[in-house]
Amino acid sequence: MGLAYNTYLNSSKIYGCKNCKAHLANHDDIISRNFRGQHGKAYLFNMVVNVVEGEACERNMTTGRHLVRDIACRQCGENVGWKYDKAFEQSEKYKEGKFILEAEMLCNVL
Ligand SMILES: [Zn+2]
């Protein structure tokens, strides 16, 4: 797939897709490192780029009920994490509109 990804991040430290190296997020945009994904460690990001969002679905997590959608790398289609559309618990509202990237799916681009 020679499809070009059109967003390039400009930062001293960038996380990319482990599979194809497309830029996904700035290190500076990490909100929290204390998350668990399907593959282990996961990070909460303020924003990510070059991803495709899937259908929204409800998921019960250890921290309560959430409306989430999976996100995949736009270049290679690999699933890299998910986005929180809505949190039903008041204490989890800060996650709304934020993104989880699985550490296992990331590589350091720089
Ligand atoms: Zn990729």
Side-chain angles (χ1 to χ4, degrees), residues 65-67 85-90 92-93 95-96:
R65 212 165 117 230
H66 295 78
L67 194 63
D85 269 17
K86 187 171 165 60
F88 294 89
E89 303 289 333
Q90 202 57 42
E92 309 298 321
K93 288 279 180 197
K95 293 188 235 168
E96 289 184 356

Side-chain angles (χ1 to χ4, degrees), residues 16-22 24 73-78 80:
C17 170
K18 193 175 168 187
N19 199 35
C20 74
K21 308 284 192 289
L24 293 177
C73 171
R74 189 157 79 196
Q75 182 161 262
C76 70
E78 192 77 58
V80 291

Side-chain angles (χ1 to χ4, degrees), residues 3-22:
L3 193 66
Y5 50 95
N6 51 24
T7 308
Y8 291 86
L9 295 170
N10 187 14
S11 152
S12 58
K13 197 173 174 196
I14 292 166
Y15 289 110
C17 170
K18 193 175 168 187
N19 199 35
C20 74
K21 308 284 192 289

Side-chain angles (χ1 to χ4, degrees), residues 10-78:
N10 187 14
S11 152
S12 58
K13 197 173 174 196
I14 292 166
Y15 289 110
C17 170
K18 193 175 168 187
N19 199 35
C20 74
K21 308 284 192 289
H23 291 186
L24 293 177
N26 275 319
H27 180 255
D28 297 343
D29 284 323
I30 289 185
I31 300 166
S32 169
R33 291 165 176 279
N34 291 320
F35 278 77
R36 302 286 301 174
Q38 283 160 332
H39 307 283
K41 264 170 86 85
Y43 307 143
L44 184 69
F45 284 89
N46 215 0
M47 68 162 284
V48 299
V49 298
N50 299 317
V51 295
V52 183
E53 295 177 8
E55 295 284 310
C57 64
E58 253 186 59
R59 218 171 272 173
N60 278 308
M61 300 175 164
T62 50
T63 48
R65 212 165 117 230
H66 295 78
L67 194 63
V68 300
R69 49 182 81 224
D70 285 332
I71 53 174
C73 171
R74 189 157 79 196
Q75 182 161 262
C76 70
E78 192 77 58

